[in-house]
Amino acid sequence: MTGEQLLQAYYFLKLNRALEEQLLKFYMQNKVVGGLYRSLGQEAISVGTAMALEPQDWVAPLIRNVGAFLVRGYRPRDLFTQYMAKATSPTAGRDCNTHFGDIQRGVVAPISMLGAMIPVMVGVGWGSRLQGLDRVGLTYIGDGGTSTGDFHEGLNLASVWKAPMVLVAEHNQFAYSTPTSKQMAITDLVDRAKAYAIPAEIVDGNDLMAVYAATRRALEHARSGRGPYFLECKTMRMRGHAEHDDARYVPAELLEEWRAKDPIDRFSQRLLEEFGFSQEQLSEQDQRVAKLIEEDAEFAERSPYPEGSRSQAQEGVFAS
Amino acid sequence: MTGEQLLQAYYFLKLNRALEEQLLKFYMQNKVVGGLYRSLGQEAISVGTAMALEPQDWVAPLIRNVGAFLVRGYRPRDLFTQYMAKATSPTAGRDCNTHFGDIQRGVVAPISMLGAMIPVMVGVGWGSRLQGLDRVGLTYIGDGGTSTGDFHEGLNLASVWKAPMVLVAEHNQFAYSTPTSKQMAITDLVDRAKAYAIPAEIVDGNDLMAVYAATRRALEHARSGRGPYFLECKTMRMRGHAEHDDARYVPAELLEEWRAKDPIDRFSQRLLEEFGFSQEQLSEQDQRVAKLIEEDAEFAERSPYPEGSRSQAQEGVFAS
Amino acid sequence: MITMLEAIRQALRDELAGDDKVVLLGQDIGDFGGAFKVTQGLVEEFGEQRVADTPISESAMIGAAIGAAMVGLKPVVEMQFIDFLACGYNQLVNFAGKMRYRWGQGASLVVRGPCGAGVSGSAFHSQSPESTYLCVPGIKVVYPSTAEDAYGLLRSAIQDPDPVLFLEHKFLYRRIKGEVGHQPIPLGKAALRRRGEKLSVITYGASSHTAQEVAEQFGDQVEVIDLRCLQPLDEACLFESVKRTNKVLLYHEAQKTLGMGAELSARISEQLFEYLDGPVVRVAAPDSPVPFSPNLEKAWLPGAEQLAEACRRLLAY
Amino acid sequence: MITMLEAIRQALRDELAGDDKVVLLGQDIGDFGGAFKVTQGLVEEFGEQRVADTPISESAMIGAAIGAAMVGLKPVVEMQFIDFLACGYNQLVNFAGKMRYRWGQGASLVVRGPCGAGVSGSAFHSQSPESTYLCVPGIKVVYPSTAEDAYGLLRSAIQDPDPVLFLEHKFLYRRIKGEVGHQPIPLGKAALRRRGEKLSVITYGASSHTAQEVAEQFGDQVEVIDLRCLQPLDEACLFESVKRTNKVLLYHEAQKTLGMGAELSARISEQLFEYLDGPVVRVAAPDSPVPFSPNLEKAWLPGAEQLAEACRRLLAY
Ligand SMILES: Cc1ncc(C[n+]2csc(CCOP(=O)(O)OP(=O)(O)O)c2C)c(N)n1
Ligand SMILES: Cc1ncc(C[n+]2csc(CCOP(=O)(O)OP(=O)(O)O)c2C)c(N)n1
Ligand SMILES: [Mg+2]
Ligand SMILES: [Mg+2]
């Protein structure tokens, strides 16, 4: 990563976190409609993977991939208004939280059913290659999501078709309240990839540079016609499944252990100590972040709700 | 296997094959309703696995597991009448070919959707253990069927629950016209089992004794509380997907190669050469087979079709 | 007085206690007590064997329940949201629903979970899937609207020899309370919620409450029947009502096209044509996904005003 | 004159030739030409990239088609039998069907395959799944009954910007022939198959042929309308007919409960009540799986006699 990219990564990491902190405020003020899902402690994965993409690549972020939206050019206001169900949100209030996308930006909106994005992104990669386009489709899956039928069918199809596709598995130890040990009999998600002869590697998901480098390798592999790639990012979900979940079931020591590995702290430290950035340079980014959050939070607050006419509520199911 | 078991295995192998030869006659005479699916060349798998079961174990045979029905006490007439859509068939004409079963005999009727039996047999094993019953559930899957979501979800659940369940994968090189190389990027199905940390082994599916021995190991593993077991039986589908498929897509040399490995020829030879059985002993079994086939073929031919009243056609969806 | 959610838990507890063949399976239903806390405390009481957590695999969950039912258990599968049943569709519809007809072996199992809109759950946490499972053979569909019914009907559903889809409207979970008995309520009996002389409103689920509120505005004109079970259906009860009032309005939260109202309308037109003094009217949700934003969702839901207006028009017909 | 099956192949060929965004995917559709040989020869003409074999994974097939549609292709997915769509249910219903409404991006794709009974296919190779996909938003459903329509409607379906389920009755594949044109036929237009004055029989698919045969027995009394598309629905055409004949009979091979007839009946009762001179009658299959044995299947299918008898009764009403 170039110096500029490192600074950019720092910016996105902080923006991701600050955005969610602002969302938390909104949540406490009852301004968030529905649940609030955090990516606290996992930000390096979304930011690192999305930064590794080329502009022509496509990504399908899930609920904890706020960072991928940001890297892809969405603003905090897009997330704020989505979470607040405002008329100014990307879906104009029709769908919630990270359920938005835009094919112009190569961002695919997820559905809630876990695993479903995998076959779809196989199709994105495959369909692009058929048209001679140099494009990789990247998406994410949680440890829990790897138990779904779509995970298997999607990866198998990808491997047979050698589809240019990268799957980033965020192994954050829990699926809602279910620890990985009750979700599967293996300990490393990469073992899943053996069923498809898909090359796979384990990466420290809390190390942004490692995530970035591994994703570059993965994309390079997929781009070169050798088929899909599987990346397991070891990490930890530092909050409940959503904010309404106090996550009592998570051992305190586990959280303690992972708090020490906070991806932003670690990255900042390396920037300062290894890469010779100054505190001022980082503070400058912090200020950019704070300013944008403030501006966009205000925008979101000022934004109206959809009026709620029947036509707004019903129309647009079909093109015609 | 005891001498008696060996002779019994011989009997079932021959019965399986003779049964299908009779079915083929019926088919040529237009007496079979719908397609005719053969297990030619794969008989050792159904017979060997089913013979390894204890009486209290359950089995869910698929379309090519005629041998499992026979070992389990069904008669050729049951298959004949099923294929001929007769009123005397186990389903009284309601469903086709191997789509029958009887929980009294521990035989579960399949549905057509490939993979679906796997979760169900996980439930059979799990549910039995919950009741303190010493029972394993065994079912089959084709190479093609391993691509289904249910395969993955079922085996994953089995491994997490340590369900007493055995999956026999019949790797017969083709799924309808699709060779394994277009079905998956791996060459051995056992690689699929790694995704679940399920112990797996490859066995020569055309060697009845090997199949039997491996199934005993598998059942012993499952029975002892250590969870599911995966058995890959290498074999070859020696006919088309069904009789209406001329299987032009199968290279002649491949068939040639496998014809030399015919499971019945090989088994007979070993019985004579290694185990000291006499030709008379085998001929005696052949006569038993011929007699039963003749008797049951006659029964099936004489059997009436369902009358076809509206109530017969419609009733029995719910218990009440 | 306990909430509908507590009534469901009580039914599960009483069944677990009374019949050792009853087992629960679902995601996070053990220690965690389920996403809505319906099963809270049950694992402590009955153990991990009988209140079993599962991986995220709806098809395997339903398949395993079918297998367990075959060996004599009575499994109750929780869907975290009923929307996710879409991922186990094949097992329920093609395996469970058709087995008794095909080979004489039924599957005594319940699939239950939260359905319905009104809590800003958006498209994948708000669906009303009843038509989907009514338009294929072999699945019973129960949809209680009160705590009492939820308790009694769930107990019957668990003991029923056939697969039952038990729909729990999440909006009602904690919003309604009732005095819950100890007895099962047989499946297939509708409830006359309010007597009226001029118009029968036939409804079920959360809509039953709206219908009763609206009916009040019309004195003794509007009758409200709560189906409680959509399959088996209490045709006798609703036919009797229509024969008496001669006008009928079908009201539900599911989509209009091929919603339960379509089937009821068709049966009524076919069998009670001579009794009808007006068109058979449907008030239902539009044929679109459920929108997220509260205003949109409110506009989307077939609410009290829409129902009242339809009643007025039909009464005046 | 070519068969319906050939007409479908011709439509696929013309679309593949005329629009390089069109791609086919399915099990055994390449060299083998598909289980019914619908795609025979196409891989030779258009290559393995555009006529792509898939593993046995219906959910992934539909998911991949959705993704491919997003990047601008127009995928046509073959189900070996439409029954197996049950295994890809979630992708079609929750992903493809809802995306345009949710975030403004539609999926131009077709899922096609053989459906219907009458060839002893039993429960899993004979289903009529139209209700299943009509009772959820976002999926168009096309169901041709002639070779001409199969050709023209399939071409329109492939070019349609929305997901289309294209149902091909396997009984008709090789049993009917037609003179096939070169033009697409727009979706959403019903066809008046036979003019009649006293009773409208509304039907579609294979049932359309039975209806026309039966109608002949009644001289100029019975009108037959073939819907061709169930979504979008040509309400104008059928309403016009009912207004003229004042009696209506809904006839299809799918199950009666929540079959298309239920929806049509409800719309007619609601909107044309004053035009009706008799009950709205449905003739449809029973609510059970499809039985295997020919006699049973015959008893199960709503055949010509049953229809004729219902026409007689309704005409005499
Ligand atoms: C098919 C399906 N079943 C159930 C759910 C409900 N659900 C939402 S998130 C979740 C846990 C997901 O865990 P994991 O995949 O590990 O992702 P994480 O939340 O840890 O990021 C569950 C069970 C769902 N969304 N989809
Ligand atoms: C879910 C599903 N999709 C498609 C089919 C259609 N089909 C029936 S058999 C078959 C091939 C099966 O191949 P394999 O699993 O290898 O078993 P084999 O026939 O070789 O024994 C296919 C595609 C099906 N039965 N189920
Ligand atoms: Mg997780
Ligand atoms: Mg095979």
Side-chain angles (χ1 to χ4, degrees):
Chain A
M1 297 178 87
T2 65
E4 200 180 326
Q5 281 179 314
L6 289 173
L7 217 51
Q8 211 185 7
Y10 177 82
Y11 168 77
F12 282 124
L13 285 173
K14 295 288 276 204
L15 190 60
N16 184 346
R17 186 160 295 179
L19 186 162
E20 291 188 11
E21 275 160 10
Q22 180 58 52
L23 273 175
L24 188 59
K25 278 186 211 150
F26 285 142
Y27 183 80
M28 306 300 267
Q29 297 163 350
N30 276 318
K31 288 175 184 164
V32 163
V33 178
L36 172 57
Y37 301 80
R38 304 285 303 278
S39 63
L40 188 71
Q42 302 180 218
E43 295 95 339
I45 300 167
S46 298
V47 172
T49 51
M51 281 189 65
L53 295 170
E54 296 296 329
Q56 74 273 20
D57 294 331
W58 279 35
V59 61
L62 305 188
I63 196 105
R64 300 197 204 285
N65 302 114
V66 163
F69 283 102
L70 297 174
V71 171
R72 217 57 197 186
Y74 280 99
R75 292 180 58 148
R77 62 176 58 181
D78 296 315
L79 277 302
F80 292 155
T81 51
Q82 279 288 118
Y83 263 107
M84 293 162 89
K86 295 290 179 100
T88 52
S89 75
T91 64
R94 281 199 169 177
D95 211 334
C96 58
N97 51 55
T98 61
H99 286 197
F100 64 100
D102 177 358
I103 68 159
Q104 301 309 327
R105 307 195 201 199
V107 176
V108 178
I111 69 170
S112 292
M113 287 71 185
L114 296 167
M117 307 311 298
I118 299 172
V120 172
M121 295 311 279
V122 172
V124 161
W126 173 72
S128 298
R129 192 187 54 203
L130 282 192
Q131 298 175 82
L133 301 170
D134 165 33
R135 179 188 290 148
V136 181
L138 180 146
T139 189
Y140 305 88
I141 191 77
D143 34 39
T146 69
S147 299
T148 60
D150 267 12
F151 171 89
H152 176 70
E153 293 196 1
L155 287 186
N156 187 57
L157 183 62
S159 69
V160 170
W161 278 357
K162 289 194 180 297
M165 192 261 189
V166 171
L167 184 61
V168 178
E170 299 197 58
H171 191 162
N172 68 0
Q173 319 298 329
F174 286 87
Y176 212 145
S177 77
T178 306
T180 310
S181 60
K182 288 181 101 178
Q183 186 75 233
M184 61 193 79
I186 54 176
T187 46
D188 295 321
L189 302 180
V190 287
D191 287 349
R192 300 278 210 219
K194 294 181 182 159
Y196 322 103
I198 294 180
E201 67 177 287
I202 294 177
V203 59
D204 178 348
N206 287 23
D207 177 347
L208 182 124
M209 285 178 242
V211 170
Y212 177 86
T215 311
R216 291 298 292 182
R217 279 193 295 279
L219 290 165
E220 162 58 21
H221 176 91
R223 213 181 292 288
S224 70
R226 283 174 289 160
Y229 201 96
F230 186 96
L231 219 57
E232 173 177 3
C233 297
K234 302 275 194 193
T235 187
M236 175 70 198
R237 199 191 70 202
M238 298 301 291
R239 299 287 299 171
H241 173 62
E243 285 300 315
H244 54 69
D245 165 24
D246 63 12
R248 231 177 271 207
Y249 48 82
V250 177
E253 317 79 66
L254 196 59
L255 285 172
E256 212 49 63
E257 177 195 327
W258 283 89
R259 209 167 284 125
K261 302 192 221 166
D262 181 83
I264 304 191
D265 291 349
R266 280 169 68 190
F267 187 64
S268 312
Q269 212 164 342
R270 284 187 74 185
L271 289 190
L272 295 170
E273 294 173 7
E274 263 179 64
F275 291 90
F277 286 91
S278 68
Q279 188 56 61
E280 289 68 52
Q281 281 175 298
L282 302 194
S283 301
E284 211 174 280
Q285 298 302 324
D286 292 346
Q287 279 155 28
R288 274 180 69 203
V289 165
K291 194 160 157 287
L292 186 60
I293 294 290
E294 197 189 320
E295 187 182 326
D296 279 15
E298 214 184 287
F299 172 87
E301 292 222 66
R302 267 190 291 106
S303 286
Y305 292 102
E307 263 171 56
S309 68
R310 300 208 95 209
S311 67
Q312 269 181 316
Q314 300 176 18
E315 285 170 11
V317 174
F318 292 113
S320 55
Chain B
M1 296 176 87
T2 63
E4 198 180 327
Q5 280 177 314
L6 290 172
L7 217 51
Q8 209 182 11
Y10 176 83
Y11 169 77
F12 282 122
L13 285 172
K14 295 289 273 201
L15 190 60
N16 185 346
R17 185 159 295 178
L19 187 162
E20 291 187 11
E21 276 160 9
Q22 179 59 51
L23 273 175
L24 188 59
K25 280 186 212 154
F26 284 142
Y27 183 78
M28 306 301 267
Q29 298 164 350
N30 276 317
K31 289 175 182 163
V32 162
V33 178
L36 172 57
Y37 302 80
R38 304 284 304 278
S39 63
L40 187 70
Q42 302 180 220
E43 295 94 339
I45 300 168
S46 298
V47 172
T49 51
M51 280 188 65
L53 295 169
E54 296 295 329
Q56 74 274 19
D57 294 331
W58 280 34
V59 61
L62 305 188
I63 196 107
R64 300 198 203 286
N65 301 116
V66 162
F69 283 102
L70 297 174
V71 172
R72 217 58 197 188
Y74 280 98
R75 292 180 59 147
R77 63 177 57 183
D78 295 315
L79 277 301
F80 293 155
T81 51
Q82 279 287 119
Y83 264 106
M84 293 164 87
K86 296 291 179 100
T88 50
S89 76
T91 63
R94 282 201 168 176
D95 212 331
C96 58
N97 50 54
T98 61
H99 286 197
F100 65 99
D102 178 357
I103 69 160
Q104 301 311 325
R105 306 196 202 198
V107 177
V108 177
I111 69 169
S112 292
M113 287 71 184
L114 296 167
M117 307 311 298
I118 300 172
V120 172
M121 295 310 279
V122 171
V124 161
W126 172 72
S128 298
R129 192 186 54 202
L130 283 192
Q131 297 174 82
L133 301 170
D134 166 32
R135 177 188 292 148
V136 180
L138 180 145
T139 188
Y140 305 88
I141 192 79
D143 33 39
T146 68
S147 299
T148 61
D150 267 12
F151 172 88
H152 177 70
E153 293 196 2
L155 286 187
N156 187 59
L157 183 62
S159 69
V160 171
W161 277 357
K162 290 195 180 296
M165 191 262 188
V166 171
L167 184 60
V168 178
E170 299 197 57
H171 191 162
N172 67 359
Q173 319 297 331
F174 286 87
Y176 213 142
S177 76
T178 306
T180 310
S181 60
K182 290 181 99 179
Q183 186 76 234
M184 61 193 78
I186 53 175
T187 45
D188 295 322
L189 302 180
V190 286
D191 287 349
R192 299 277 210 220
K194 294 180 183 160
Y196 321 103
I198 294 179
E201 66 177 287
I202 294 177
V203 59
D204 177 348
N206 287 23
D207 177 347
L208 183 125
M209 285 178 240
V211 170
Y212 178 87
T215 311
R216 291 298 293 180
R217 279 193 295 279
L219 289 166
E220 161 57 23
H221 176 91
R223 213 180 293 288
S224 71
R226 285 173 288 159
Y229 201 94
F230 186 96
L231 219 57
E232 174 179 4
C233 297
K234 301 276 194 195
T235 187
M236 175 70 197
R237 198 191 71 200
M238 297 302 291
R239 299 288 299 171
H241 173 61
E243 285 301 314
H244 55 70
D245 166 23
D246 63 12
R248 233 176 269 205
Y249 48 83
V250 177
E253 316 79 67
L254 197 60
L255 286 172
E256 212 49 63
E257 177 195 329
W258 283 90
R259 210 165 285 129
K261 302 192 221 166
D262 182 84
I264 303 189
D265 292 349
R266 281 170 69 191
F267 187 65
S268 309
Q269 212 165 344
R270 284 187 75 184
L271 288 191
L272 295 170
E273 294 172 7
E274 265 179 63
F275 292 90
F277 285 92
S278 67
Q279 189 57 60
E280 289 67 53
Q281 282 175 298
L282 301 195
S283 301
E284 211 174 279
Q285 298 302 323
D286 292 346
Q287 280 154 27
R288 274 181 69 204
V289 165
K291 193 159 159 289
L292 187 60
I293 294 291
E294 196 189 318
E295 186 183 325
D296 278 15
E298 214 184 287
F299 172 87
E301 292 222 67
R302 267 191 291 106
S303 286
Y305 292 103
E307 264 171 56
S309 67
R310 302 209 92 210
S311 68
Q312 267 181 317
Q314 301 177 17
E315 285 171 10
V317 174
F318 292 113
S320 55
Chain C
M1 301 274 278
I2 60 174
T3 64
M4 185 184 207
L5 190 142
E6 289 161 341
I8 293 167
R9 183 188 302 140
Q10 192 56 45
L12 294 172
R13 179 184 288 116
D14 289 353
E15 283 297 322
L16 282 162
D19 181 352
D20 62 10
K21 302 295 181 204
V22 175
V23 293
L24 315 187
L25 53 158
Q27 292 154 24
D28 308 289
I29 66 166
D31 284 338
F32 191 65
F36 283 85
K37 303 291 173 193
V38 171
T39 56
Q40 192 156 50
L42 299 181
V43 73
E44 286 83 349
E45 233 172 297
F46 301 99
E48 283 198 357
Q49 299 292 307
R50 297 185 64 202
V51 183
D53 278 329
T54 69
I56 303 172
S57 43
E58 284 74 11
S59 189
M61 289 157 68
I62 294 172
I66 294 169
M70 282 189 210
V71 295
L73 294 183
K74 291 171 184 157
V76 182
V77 188
E78 174 170 297
M79 293 285 114
Q80 205 153 78
F81 285 83
I82 210 72
D83 310 64
F84 302 134
L85 183 50
C87 301
Y89 176 80
N90 179 58
Q91 285 282 358
L92 186 59
V93 163
N94 283 320
F95 213 128
K98 297 184 172 68
M99 55 192 273
R100 185 183 299 283
Y101 176 89
R102 294 173 52 239
W103 57 291
Q105 174 61 37
S108 173
L109 64 91
V110 173
V111 176
R112 51 158 290 275
C115 70
V119 303
S120 301
S122 84
F124 306 115
H125 294 76
S126 306
Q127 296 181 51
S128 292
E130 50 268 32
S131 301
T132 299
Y133 299 96
L134 288 162
C135 76
V136 288
I139 299 156
K140 293 179 175 170
V141 179
V142 179
Y143 203 152
S145 74
T146 70
E148 295 86 327
D149 285 354
Y151 175 86
L153 292 169
L154 181 52
R155 291 202 57 187
S156 293
I158 294 171
Q159 291 299 330
D160 196 89
D162 290 309
V164 180
L165 176 61
F166 191 86
L167 298 171
E168 305 165 1
H169 200 298
K170 63 179 81 66
F171 186 86
L172 301 180
Y173 265 160
R174 295 189 157 90
R175 283 190 180 79
I176 58 165
K177 290 191 167 188
E179 218 58 271
V180 169
H182 295 285
Q183 293 307 317
I185 296 173
L187 305 187
K189 294 274 165 233
L192 178 65
R193 295 294 181 203
R194 189 188 166 88
R195 186 95 189 179
E197 307 304 325
K198 301 272 180 238
L199 165 63
S200 303
V201 172
I202 301 169
T203 185
Y204 58 89
S207 305
S208 168
H209 296 277
T210 319
Q212 290 170 63
E213 274 164 48
V214 167
E216 273 185 34
Q217 304 170 21
F218 295 93
D220 63 357
Q221 294 185 93
V222 175
E223 177 145 321
V224 177
I225 291 175
D226 180 346
L227 291 176
R228 309 203 292 186
C229 293
L230 309 184
Q231 167 64 264
L233 181 69
D234 192 353
E235 232 182 37
C237 166
L238 59 104
F239 281 11
E240 184 282 320
S241 172
V242 176
K243 283 184 186 170
R244 195 156 31 71
T245 63
N246 310 113
K247 285 185 181 170
V248 59
L249 192 153
L250 308 160
Y251 177 53
H252 54 63
E253 183 188 312
Q255 85 296 340
K256 188 168 188 177
T257 293
L258 284 171
M260 188 65 195
E263 179 59 25
L264 296 173
S265 174
R267 293 199 192 187
I268 290 165
S269 310
E270 204 159 0
Q271 296 177 59
L272 304 181
F273 182 68
E274 304 188 353
Y275 292 94
L276 290 174
D277 284 347
V280 183
V281 172
R282 290 182 291 171
V283 175
D287 296 325
S288 87
V290 184
F292 170 52
S293 192
N295 286 348
L296 291 176
E297 193 179 26
K298 193 150 174 280
W300 184 91
L301 278 165
E305 272 170 53
Q306 210 184 321
L307 177 61
E309 173 56 26
C311 287
R312 259 191 299 279
R313 257 185 290 126
L314 191 50
L315 284 167
Y317 184 90
Chain D
M1 301 275 276
I2 59 173
T3 63
M4 186 183 208
L5 189 142
E6 289 160 342
I8 293 167
R9 184 187 302 140
Q10 192 56 45
L12 294 172
R13 180 184 287 118
D14 288 353
E15 283 297 321
L16 282 161
D19 182 350
D20 62 9
K21 302 295 180 203
V22 175
V23 293
L24 315 188
L25 53 156
Q27 293 154 24
D28 307 289
I29 66 165
D31 284 337
F32 191 65
F36 283 85
K37 302 291 174 193
V38 171
T39 56
Q40 193 156 47
L42 299 180
V43 73
E44 285 84 350
E45 235 173 294
F46 302 99
E48 283 199 357
Q49 300 292 306
R50 297 185 64 202
V51 183
D53 278 328
T54 68
I56 303 173
S57 43
E58 284 74 13
S59 189
M61 290 158 68
I62 294 173
I66 294 169
M70 281 189 209
V71 295
L73 295 183
K74 291 170 184 158
V76 182
V77 188
E78 174 171 298
M79 293 285 116
Q80 204 153 77
F81 284 84
I82 210 71
D83 310 65
F84 302 135
L85 183 49
C87 301
Y89 176 80
N90 180 55
Q91 284 282 359
L92 186 60
V93 162
N94 283 320
F95 215 127
K98 296 185 173 68
M99 54 191 273
R100 185 183 299 284
Y101 176 89
R102 293 172 52 238
W103 57 292
Q105 174 61 37
S108 174
L109 64 91
V110 173
V111 177
R112 50 158 290 275
C115 70
V119 303
S120 301
S122 84
F124 306 116
H125 294 75
S126 306
Q127 296 182 50
S128 292
E130 52 267 34
S131 300
T132 300
Y133 300 96
L134 289 163
C135 77
V136 290
I139 298 156
K140 292 179 177 170
V141 180
V142 179
Y143 202 152
S145 75
T146 69
E148 295 87 325
D149 285 355
Y151 175 85
L153 292 169
L154 181 51
R155 292 202 55 189
S156 293
I158 294 172
Q159 290 299 331
D160 197 88
D162 289 309
V164 180
L165 176 62
F166 192 86
L167 298 171
E168 304 165 2
H169 201 298
K170 63 178 81 66
F171 187 85
L172 300 181
Y173 265 159
R174 297 189 155 88
R175 284 190 181 79
I176 58 164
K177 289 190 167 189
E179 217 59 89
V180 168
H182 295 285
Q183 294 306 317
I185 296 172
L187 304 187
K189 295 276 162 228
L192 179 65
R193 295 293 180 202
R194 188 189 168 87
R195 184 95 188 179
E197 306 305 325
K198 302 274 181 237
L199 165 62
S200 304
V201 172
I202 301 170
T203 185
Y204 59 88
S207 306
S208 169
H209 296 277
T210 318
Q212 291 170 62
E213 273 164 48
V214 167
E216 273 185 34
Q217 305 170 22
F218 294 93
D220 64 356
Q221 293 185 92
V222 174
E223 175 146 322
V224 177
I225 290 174
D226 180 346
L227 291 175
R228 309 202 293 184
C229 292
L230 308 184
Q231 167 64 262
L233 181 69
D234 191 354
E235 233 182 36
C237 167
L238 60 102
F239 280 12
E240 186 281 322
S241 172
V242 176
K243 282 183 185 169
R244 195 155 32 71
T245 62
N246 310 116
K247 285 183 180 170
V248 58
L249 192 153
L250 308 160
Y251 177 52
H252 55 62
E253 182 188 313
Q255 83 297 339
K256 187 169 189 177
T257 292
L258 284 172
M260 189 65 196
E263 179 60 25
L264 295 173
S265 174
R267 292 198 193 186
I268 290 165
S269 310
E270 205 160 359
Q271 297 177 59
L272 304 181
F273 181 67
E274 302 186 354
Y275 292 93
L276 291 173
D277 285 348
V280 183
V281 173
R282 291 181 290 172
V283 175
D287 296 325
S288 86
V290 185
F292 170 53
S293 192
N295 287 347
L296 291 175
E297 194 180 26
K298 193 149 174 283
W300 184 90
L301 278 166
E305 272 171 53
Q306 210 183 322
L307 177 61
E309 173 57 27
C311 287
R312 259 191 298 281
R313 256 185 289 126
L314 190 50
L315 284 168
Y317 184 90

